[in-house]
Amino acid sequence: MSNSVSGAAPAAKKKKGANMFHQNLAGYALCAPMILSILIFVMYPMIQVVIYSFQNTNGISATWAGFKNFKWVLTDSMFWNAAGNTLYMAFFGVIIDLVVCFIVASLINSVTSKIGKNIFKSVYFLPNVVSSVAVAMLFNFIFFPTENGILNYALGLLGIKPIGWLVSPNIARLSIVIMGLWRSVGYDTILFLAGLQSIPGEIYEAASIDGANGIQKWWYITIPNMKPTFTFMTMMLCISTLRRFDDVWMIGGSAGNPAGKLDTFVMYIYRNSWLSREVGVASAAAVVLFIITFTITMLNNYVFNRND
């Protein structure tokens, strides 16, 4: 009898597993197109780029080059110029975006009227629906270097001489940071606002009973509870700024003018891949960019989560 029971147990388990497979078959079928798309359009290109990075290739014919492309990239002054520009715009862009968007989200969250909140959210979100190319064209006019530019005209009313926002090597990168902030402030503010509204109101009520004022609540309750949002926002902003291309290309061209100050990682990859047809060098630069992005992302997670 014991043998019959022991023999029935594996059979029942096998039957249960088969039933679960059939029940989940519809789910597998629905996921299959997405998984297939990721394999074809994400994983395959990534693997191919890594292969190209070890080859002398124009994208059609290829010969093995070993680490020659990486040596070329890491000793190329133009690459390090692009790296410096990109890291500059990423560093200041991320910090300014986080501070401004968090403050704006906090102010919107303090509005008691639901209609008022929706109006503010809609107004701040509007720039996000504009394409980056259109934003670049708009700021070409706003930052026009003579007194005919909107911003310089306004500064002229205050007695300030025209500033070469996008033509001066000393200020061009900061101008790009400001332009990027204008476009992203709406979307990033909405994300911060979602994080703020997820904080339980009971915590603020308890703090009020204990005599905490608004600033103390903001500093000791709001900011600590926003840590997951800050972690996510910092990571996403770092990734987006490190792969910046279209808006700076519209303003500075393929050379990243003025004086190469608007040259970026992706611009460097674009020039080598499409203009010089040095696909191996471009692929090696892309691999280096991936390593830098991955390192910064891991560092960000460590910094924000080291006390958890």
Side-chain angles (χ1 to χ4, degrees), residues 152-161:
N152 278 335
Y153 177 79
L155 293 176
L157 297 177
L158 302 175
I160 301 175
K161 294 181 178 180

Side-chain angles (χ1 to χ4, degrees), residues 2 11 46 51 92 114 119 140 144 160 166 168 171 179 181 195 216 218 256 267:
S2 60
M46 289 178 63
I51 295 173
F92 287 102
K114 185 177 180 180
I119 292 174
N140 253 326
F144 200 74
I160 301 175
L166 296 173
S168 171
I171 200 172
M179 181 181 72
L181 173 64
Q216 289 173 327
W218 189 69
M267 192 84 75

